[in-house]
Amino acid sequence: MGSFTPKSFAPLDPQSFSDESKAVVDFIAEYYRNIEKYPVRSKVQPGYLSEKLPDTAPFYPESLEDILKDVSESILPGLTHWQSPNFFAYFQANASTAGFIGEMLCSGFNVVGFNWISSPAATELESIVMDWMGKMLKLPSSFLFSGTGGGVLQGSTTEAVICTLAAARDKALETLGGSDNIKKLVVYTSDQTHFTVQKSAKLIGITKSNFRVITTSFSTKFALSPENLRAAIEEDIKAGLVPLYLCGTVGTTACGAVDPIKELGKIAREYKMWFHVDAAYAGSACICPEFRPYLDGVELADSISLNSQKWFLTNMDCCCMWLKQPKFLIDSLSCTSEYLRNSASESNSVIDYTDWQIAVGRRFKALKLWIVIRKHGLTNLIDHIRSDVDMAKRFEELVAEDHNFEIVVPRKFALVCFRMKPEIESDGSKLNRKLLDAVNSSGRAFMTHGVVGGTFYIRAAIGATMTEEHHVDDLWKLIKEKAQEHQDS
Amino acid sequence: MGSFTPKSFAPLDPQSFSDESKAVVDFIAEYYRNIEKYPVRSKVQPGYLSEKLPDTAPFYPESLEDILKDVSESILPGLTHWQSPNFFAYFQANASTAGFIGEMLCSGFNVVGFNWISSPAATELESIVMDWMGKMLKLPSSFLFSGTGGGVLQGSTTEAVICTLAAARDKALETLGGSDNIKKLVVYTSDQTHFTVQKSAKLIGITKSNFRVITTSFSTKFALSPENLRAAIEEDIKAGLVPLYLCGTVGTTACGAVDPIKELGKIAREYKMWFHVDAAYAGSACICPEFRPYLDGVELADSISLNSQKWFLTNMDCCCMWLKQPKFLIDSLSCTSEYLRNSASESNSVIDYTDWQIAVGRRFKALKLWIVIRKHGLTNLIDHIRSDVDMAKRFEELVAEDHNFEIVVPRKFALVCFRMKPEIESDGSKLNRKLLDAVNSSGRAFMTHGVVGGTFYIRAAIGATMTEEHHVDDLWKLIKEKAQEHQDS
C-alpha cells in the first residue's frame, strides 16, 4: 500500500469498470443463490456495525476484494433480506434482472435529466413508457400524453402526494385569493389511508385541524364510506371551510382495502376537490382484467399513482403518477433559473420534468420500467401478478381451514390478514404478537402486523420475486409449529 | 416467441441474472470506450423517440439483445453525454466504478431501509459513513453522531432544504404559537442562491412576499453581503416579521461564489434564525486543506448539505446533509404508523431515517458513498479534486492570456466563467451566445451559460470523471476556432 499519483487514478477506466463490475455481479448472483441461508429479519443488535468498522475513513485506497469481504462479513448479517423468498413483511419490493439492468444503465449513463435538453432520451422515454403503462392499466386517455394528460416518474408516493397537494393548494389559493386562506383548506382521508398523506399535508402547511381522518370499520371492509365523507364535508362547509383534496386508496397498507373510487370521485367532482387515487400497492395488479374494476371511476380523479417498485419488478425507486392536468403541477412547482434556460424549453415543444417534481435533478428511471415491460411483456407481467395472488389464495385457504386460525379481513390481492383465534378476545393481541415474534425470531420467515377495528393481526404479504408455492407452504408449517409450541408451553 | 407458463417465468433467476447483467456491463464499458464519438449534447429534435418506438407495450417478452439494440439505436442518440470527458455543462455528475458498484449492491439487495429493523445495516452504515465524511470535511463534532449531531443521505439539495425549512418553520410556529404566524416568517437568500430554495420555501407555505433575495454584485464577487442581509432583517423586524431561515452557499451554481459563512453565521445566531449551508457543488472540495477555509464558520450553522453526486464520484443520487439537532427534523417529519412499529424503534436506541426525510422508503445509498471512500481513500479523493482544479486553473490561464477573451468572475474551484470580449459592451450577450451555440452545435463539447450583474458569460465546469488535460486543451482550441470563424464571417 502506498500513495498513488493522480496519473494512475482513473475512477472510470472502462477495463477495470468491466472487470470489477462483473465481480460484483457474481457477488450478487451468489447472494441470491444463498439468500435462504440468512435469517430473513436481521438478528443483529443496535450498534453492531460500529464495532466492526473503523470510525474514520481510510487514507489509502483499499481493494475491491477487501470491500466485498466486509460486505459479506459486516453488511450481510445486518440486512433484512427483502429479496428472500421467505420475506412476507410490509409489502414486497420486487427486484428483477430486468429492473437491475435498467438501474445499471441508468447509473452507467448517469445523466441528470432535469430538462429535455439535458438528455432528450430520458424525457421522451419517460413520456412514452408512462403512456404504455397507462394503457396497460386502461387509464382513460385524459391521463395520457396521447390524450390530454400525462405521466411522470416520482421517487415515492409521498412525493406524488406532496406535488399534487401543492398543486391543489396553489390552485385553490389562486381562486380564493390570498395565502391566508390556507387555513380554510381541508384534506380528506380515511383512517386506512397511508400516513404519508398526513405527513405531506403537514409539510405543505395544512394543519392537523384541517386534516380529516374518516373512521372505517369491518362493515365496509375498511373502505372509506362515501356517506361519512359527505357528512364530514358538509360539516366543514357549514363551518366556512373549503374542501381541497381527497385521497382514495386501492389496496391499503394495513389490510389491502379498496375505497369506492367511483363514489368518491363523484363527491370530489361535486365539491370541486382534487381527487388523488393512491394505488401504491394494488395498482400494479390492475393490469389484470379481473382487478381492473377496482380502478373504475378513476376517470373522475385528477391524479393516480402506483409504486412499480413494490409489485412491478422495477427495483427501488419507481413511483408512476398520471395527471389529468399537468399544468397545475407545473404552475405550482416550476421555478425558472438562468442556467437551465435553453431554446427547446422556450419553444414550449418539450417537457421539462423538473417542473413536475420536488427535486431539480432526476435519474433516468424510465429505462428500468421500459426494460421490465419489454423483457417480460404484458402476458408475463399478468402471470407474475396472478401467480402471487394464487399463492395468497392458497395460503388464505390453509389458514381458513384451520380451526385455530381465522382470516381477519378478506383478501383482495396477495396480502393475507389473519390471526390465531384467542380463547378470550382480550388475549388476541398478546397471543398473536407472541406468535409473530416466534416466527420472525426463527429467521425462517418475516411478516409484520396490522391493527384494524381494534384487532391485532398478522400480515402475510405474498409476492417477493423469488417466492414459490413451497415457500408459502413452509410459511404455513412454520406458523403452525410456532403456534403448537405456544400451546404446549 | 409464444406464451410462457408461469413456471418458466423466473424474473430473478441467479444464472440468467449473472449472464444478462454481465452483458450489460460489457455494453456500458463499450459505451465508455466510445463515448467521445457521440456529440456531447444530443442533436435529436423534440419528439424523435416517439417515431422510433411503438406506442403500446409489447404483449410478448422481448430478448435482451433486442432491447440493447434499441438502447444503441434509439436511446444513445438522445442522450446528452454527462460522462463524456468533453462535458463541461451545468456541474459535472461524477460516475465512477466505485459509485456504480455501490449502486449495483444497493439495487441488488434492494432493501427498503425506512427504519432500523427493516435493514439495520442500511441505517448503521449510513450513520458511520456520514461521520467519516463529516470528519473528512473537518466538520465540528456538533454535526457528527460521535458528537452531538448527525448526518443523513438525502436524494437532492431540494429535499435537504425542504426538510430543514420545515423543521425551522415548525420550531418557530411552536414558539410563536399558532400556524397563522407562518405569514410572519421570512427566508433570506441572495440572488445567487440556487432557485431550489425558493421552490422549497413556496412548497412549505412561505409566500413570495416573505422570501428575501439580497442582490449581490461584482464588488463582493457575488457573495452575500452581511451588511445588506442585516439591513433586510432589520427592516423586516420593524415591519413585525420574524427572521426564520438563512441559506448561505459555498460554490454558487452561476459562478462558484462563496458566501462569508462565518459572518452570516453570526447574524443568524444573533437573530435566532436557522442557518443552512448549501455546499452542493464545492463542499466536496473542502476535503482539501486549501479549500477548507471556505467552510470556516460552519460551526455557527444548523445544517449543511453537499451533493456527492456532483464531484464526489457517487453517481446519481446522493446528497449528504448534517444537522446539529436532528431532533427538530424528526419533530417535523415523523409520523407514526402501526405497521412500522417495532421494539427496536420503541426502545429509542436506533435511528429511523424515514423520520429524517420526505419519503417513507429509502434506498441503501450509503453503500456507494462507503465504497467510493474506501476504494479511493482520502488521498486519491483529494487528488481527484486537485486534478480538476489544476485543469481549471490551466484553462483559466489560457483564457486570460488571450486578448480576445476575459474572465468574468475569478475562479475559486473548477468552474471557469469567461467570455469573448465584445467590441461594444451591448453586443456581449449576443456575441457569446453565438459562440456558445457554435461550440455546442459542433458536438465536440458542451458548456452552458450564466448571467451575473447583467453580464452574459460562458461556464466551463471542469470535472467530468474522464476529463484529462488534453480535453481541456481541445476545448480551448475549439472555442478559439469557433471565435475565429465568427470573426471571419
Side-chain angles (χ1 to χ4, degrees):
Chain A
M1 202 86 79
S3 78
F4 285 55
T5 67
K7 296 277 176 215
S8 71
F9 178 63
L12 199 55
D13 166 68
Q15 194 53 52
S16 58
F17 168 85
S18 176
D19 296 343
E20 300 197 319
S21 296
K22 285 178 184 173
V24 173
V25 166
D26 284 333
F27 183 93
I28 298 171
E30 198 58 19
Y31 168 68
Y32 289 148
R33 283 191 191 97
N34 293 319
I35 198 163
E36 293 190 57
K37 293 181 187 159
Y38 303 102
V40 186
R41 188 185 68 180
S42 173
K43 295 194 167 192
V44 299
Q45 293 302 309
Y48 90 100
L49 194 55
S50 57
E51 290 168 19
K52 290 171 177 271
L53 298 183
D55 59 5
T56 50
F59 186 75
Y60 292 112
E62 301 183 70
S63 70
L64 180 61
E65 291 68 32
D66 284 349
I67 294 169
L68 289 179
K69 191 165 170 273
D70 283 351
V71 173
S72 286
E73 292 174 6
S74 302
I75 302 299
L76 291 188
L79 289 186
T80 289
H81 300 278
W82 286 67
Q83 300 317 311
S84 166
N86 300 310
F87 182 94
F88 303 101
Y90 312 109
F91 282 123
Q92 66 274 23
N94 279 170
S96 71
T97 300
F100 184 83
I101 283 171
E103 275 287 329
M104 284 171 90
L105 289 171
C106 170
S107 177
F109 296 147
N110 207 43
V111 300
V112 185
F114 28 67
N115 56 13
W116 182 85
I117 191 61
S118 74
S119 249
T123 297
E124 299 208 4
L125 188 64
E126 185 161 330
S127 305
I128 290 168
V129 82
M130 290 306 291
D131 262 22
W132 281 17
M133 189 80 187
K135 287 176 189 170
M136 287 163 75
L137 292 163
K138 302 208 186 322
L139 293 185
S141 66
S142 53
F143 285 105
L144 308 181
F145 288 109
S146 57
T148 51
V152 59
L153 291 175
Q154 301 282 346
S156 64
T157 301
T158 313
E159 285 160 66
V161 171
I162 289 173
C163 291
T164 51
L165 262 174
R169 175 195 66 183
D170 293 344
K171 184 171 167 255
L173 292 179
E174 180 84 21
T175 309
L176 295 171
S179 60
D180 263 14
N181 289 302
I182 193 166
K183 60 189 171 198
K184 291 188 187 161
L185 305 178
V186 186
V187 173
Y188 300 85
T189 64
S190 88
D191 57 6
Q192 297 302 308
T193 306
H194 196 283
F195 73 85
T196 204
V197 181
Q198 187 152 7
K199 183 172 181 170
S200 303
K202 189 179 169 207
L203 197 75
I204 69 129
I206 306 283
T207 57
K208 209 172 174 181
S209 56
N210 281 17
F211 191 85
R212 299 285 163 269
V213 179
I214 317 273
T215 306
T216 61
S217 68
F218 279 104
S219 70
T220 60
K221 290 174 191 158
F222 299 97
L224 207 171
S225 142
E227 294 71 34
N228 294 349
L229 171 66
R230 185 182 291 278
I233 294 171
E234 285 293 337
E235 199 174 315
D236 285 330
I237 290 175
K238 268 185 214 142
L241 300 175
V242 178
L244 174 72
Y245 187 98
L246 167 66
C247 181
T249 308
V250 177
T252 62
T253 305
C255 66
V258 176
D259 291 334
I261 299 305
K262 188 167 272 178
E263 285 68 27
L264 298 186
K266 285 179 190 160
I267 295 177
R269 288 288 69 78
E270 187 180 336
Y271 293 100
K272 297 186 171 46
M273 283 188 281
W274 187 293
F275 180 33
H276 181 76
V277 176
D278 170 13
Y281 164 56
S284 300
C286 297
I287 61 166
C288 306
E290 64 272 31
F291 294 116
R292 178 56 179 78
Y294 290 125
L295 287 186
D296 283 357
V298 69
E299 62 277 8
L300 301 170
D302 297 281
S303 50
I304 170 170
S305 60
L306 73 82
N307 282 4
S308 62
Q309 69 202 20
K310 283 191 169 69
W311 205 359
F312 212 70
L313 303 169
T314 52
N315 298 50
M316 285 275 288
D317 51 346
C318 206
C319 172
C320 304
M321 174 162 79
W322 293 267
L323 302 131
K324 259 191 198 152
Q325 295 181 285
K327 173 196 179 307
F328 293 120
L329 212 65
I330 297 166
D331 284 353
S332 184
L333 299 171
S334 171
C335 263
T336 49
S337 186
E338 183 62 38
Y339 82 98
L340 292 180
R341 288 182 71 175
N342 66 90
S343 54
S345 297
E346 277 158 28
S347 73
N348 276 322
S349 60
V350 297
I351 294 166
D352 290 334
Y353 270 127
T354 193
D355 296 336
W356 295 50
Q357 67 172 18
I358 293 175
V360 179
R362 58 202 322 270
R363 304 196 303 134
F364 191 175
K365 287 187 288 202
L367 274 169
K368 64 179 169 179
L369 186 54
W370 182 57
I371 293 174
V372 162
I373 294 173
R374 292 190 62 182
K375 208 157 170 306
H376 300 125
L378 179 57
T379 182
N380 272 347
L381 289 166
I382 288 176
D383 282 346
H384 156 69
I385 299 288
R386 284 181 180 158
S387 134
D388 292 338
V389 172
D390 286 346
M391 287 191 283
K393 219 177 257 177
R394 180 187 170 86
F395 182 79
E396 186 187 36
E397 282 163 12
L398 291 169
V399 173
E401 279 163 15
D402 191 312
H403 68 278
N404 288 320
F405 288 85
E406 65 183 357
I407 296 296
V408 174
V409 185
R411 179 199 52 78
K412 281 199 163 68
F413 305 100
L415 171 67
V416 181
C417 301
F418 69 100
R419 66 168 190 166
M420 201 172 166
K421 283 185 209 158
E423 282 178 30
I424 310 160
E425 184 52 43
S426 60
D427 291 346
S429 168
K430 199 176 158 197
L431 175 73
N432 282 283
R433 277 178 200 275
K434 240 177 136 171
L435 173 60
L436 179 60
D437 193 46
V439 168
N440 290 343
S441 298
S442 77
R444 289 155 56 194
F446 180 30
M447 296 180 291
T448 48
H449 71 277
V451 176
V452 288
T455 302
F456 179 98
Y457 58 93
I458 300 174
R459 293 167 78 262
I462 290 163
T465 311
M466 292 193 278
T467 302
E468 297 178 24
E469 239 174 58
H470 69 90
H471 296 106
V472 174
D473 291 348
D474 288 346
L475 173 66
W476 178 236
K477 269 182 225 150
L478 172 64
I479 292 166
K480 280 198 301 185
E481 177 191 315
K482 294 297 170 190
Q484 191 60 46
E485 278 173 21
H486 173 77
Q487 280 167 336
D488 295 347
S489 69
Chain B
M1 200 87 79
S3 80
F4 284 54
T5 68
K7 296 276 177 214
S8 71
F9 177 62
L12 199 55
D13 166 68
Q15 194 53 51
S16 58
F17 168 84
S18 175
D19 296 343
E20 299 197 319
S21 296
K22 285 178 183 173
V24 174
V25 166
D26 284 334
F27 183 93
I28 298 170
E30 199 57 19
Y31 167 69
Y32 290 148
R33 282 188 194 101
N34 293 318
I35 199 162
E36 293 190 57
K37 294 181 187 158
Y38 304 102
V40 186
R41 188 185 69 181
S42 174
K43 295 194 168 194
V44 299
Q45 293 301 309
Y48 89 100
L49 194 56
S50 57
E51 289 169 19
K52 290 170 177 273
L53 298 183
D55 59 5
T56 51
F59 186 75
Y60 292 112
E62 301 182 70
S63 70
L64 181 61
E65 291 68 32
D66 284 350
I67 294 169
L68 289 179
K69 192 166 168 274
D70 283 350
V71 173
S72 287
E73 292 175 5
S74 302
I75 303 300
L76 290 189
L79 289 185
T80 289
H81 301 277
W82 286 68
Q83 299 316 312
S84 165
N86 300 310
F87 182 95
F88 303 100
Y90 313 110
F91 282 124
Q92 66 273 24
N94 278 169
S96 71
T97 300
F100 184 84
I101 283 171
E103 274 287 328
M104 284 171 89
L105 289 170
C106 170
S107 177
F109 296 147
N110 207 42
V111 301
V112 185
F114 27 69
N115 55 15
W116 182 85
I117 190 62
S118 74
S119 250
T123 297
E124 299 208 2
L125 187 65
E126 186 161 329
S127 304
I128 290 168
V129 84
M130 289 306 291
D131 263 22
W132 281 17
M133 189 79 188
K135 287 175 188 170
M136 287 163 73
L137 291 163
K138 302 209 183 324
L139 293 185
S141 67
S142 52
F143 284 105
L144 306 181
F145 288 109
S146 56
T148 50
V152 59
L153 290 176
Q154 301 282 346
S156 63
T157 301
T158 313
E159 285 161 65
V161 171
I162 288 173
C163 292
T164 50
L165 261 174
R169 175 197 66 184
D170 294 344
K171 183 171 169 255
L173 292 179
E174 181 84 24
T175 310
L176 296 171
S179 60
D180 262 14
N181 290 302
I182 191 166
K183 62 188 169 198
K184 291 189 188 160
L185 305 177
V186 186
V187 173
Y188 299 86
T189 64
S190 87
D191 57 6
Q192 297 302 307
T193 306
H194 196 282
F195 73 85
T196 205
V197 181
Q198 186 153 7
K199 183 172 182 170
S200 303
K202 189 180 168 206
L203 197 76
I204 70 131
I206 305 282
T207 57
K208 209 171 173 182
S209 57
N210 282 17
F211 190 85
R212 298 285 163 270
V213 179
I214 317 275
T215 306
T216 62
S217 68
F218 279 104
S219 70
T220 60
K221 290 174 190 159
F222 300 97
L224 208 170
S225 142
E227 293 71 35
N228 294 350
L229 171 65
R230 184 183 292 278
I233 293 171
E234 286 293 338
E235 199 174 313
D236 285 329
I237 290 175
K238 268 184 214 142
L241 301 176
V242 178
L244 174 71
Y245 188 98
L246 167 66
C247 181
T249 307
V250 177
T252 61
T253 305
C255 66
V258 175
D259 290 334
I261 299 305
K262 186 167 272 176
E263 284 68 28
L264 298 186
K266 284 180 191 161
I267 294 177
R269 290 286 69 77
E270 186 182 337
Y271 293 99
K272 297 187 169 48
M273 283 187 281
W274 187 293
F275 179 33
H276 181 75
V277 176
D278 170 12
Y281 164 57
S284 300
C286 297
I287 61 166
C288 305
E290 65 272 32
F291 294 115
R292 178 57 178 76
Y294 290 125
L295 287 186
D296 284 356
V298 68
E299 62 277 7
L300 301 171
D302 297 281
S303 50
I304 169 171
S305 60
L306 73 81
N307 281 5
S308 62
Q309 70 202 18
K310 282 191 169 69
W311 205 0
F312 212 71
L313 303 170
T314 53
N315 298 50
M316 285 276 287
D317 51 344
C318 206
C319 173
C320 304
M321 173 163 80
W322 294 267
L323 301 130
K324 258 191 198 151
Q325 294 182 284
K327 172 194 180 305
F328 293 120
L329 212 64
I330 297 166
D331 284 352
S332 184
L333 298 172
S334 172
C335 261
T336 50
S337 185
E338 184 60 39
Y339 84 98
L340 292 181
R341 288 182 70 174
N342 67 89
S343 54
S345 296
E346 276 158 28
S347 73
N348 277 323
S349 61
V350 296
I351 294 166
D352 291 334
Y353 269 127
T354 193
D355 296 337
W356 295 50
Q357 66 172 21
I358 292 175
V360 179
R362 60 204 320 273
R363 305 195 304 134
F364 191 176
K365 286 186 289 203
L367 274 169
K368 63 180 170 178
L369 186 54
W370 182 57
I371 293 174
V372 162
I373 294 173
R374 291 191 63 183
K375 208 155 171 305
H376 300 125
L378 179 56
T379 180
N380 271 347
L381 290 166
I382 288 176
D383 283 346
H384 155 70
I385 299 288
R386 285 181 179 159
S387 133
D388 292 338
V389 172
D390 285 347
M391 287 191 283
K393 220 178 257 176
R394 180 188 170 84
F395 181 79
E396 188 186 36
E397 282 163 13
L398 291 170
V399 172
E401 280 163 14
D402 191 312
H403 68 279
N404 288 320
F405 288 85
E406 65 183 355
I407 297 296
V408 174
V409 185
R411 181 199 52 78
K412 281 199 163 69
F413 305 100
L415 171 68
V416 180
C417 301
F418 69 100
R419 65 168 190 165
M420 199 172 166
K421 284 186 212 159
E423 283 179 27
I424 310 159
E425 183 53 43
S426 60
D427 290 345
S429 168
K430 200 176 157 197
L431 176 73
N432 282 282
R433 278 179 199 274
K434 239 176 136 173
L435 173 61
L436 179 60
D437 193 48
V439 168
N440 291 343
S441 298
S442 77
R444 289 155 57 194
F446 180 29
M447 297 182 290
T448 47
H449 71 277
V451 176
V452 288
T455 302
F456 179 98
Y457 58 93
I458 300 174
R459 292 167 79 262
I462 290 163
T465 312
M466 293 193 278
T467 302
E468 296 177 27
E469 239 172 57
H470 68 91
H471 297 106
V472 175
D473 291 347
D474 288 347
L475 173 66
W476 179 235
K477 269 181 227 151
L478 172 64
I479 292 165
K480 280 198 301 183
E481 176 190 317
K482 295 298 169 189
Q484 191 61 46
E485 279 174 22
H486 173 76
Q487 281 169 332
D488 294 348
S489 69

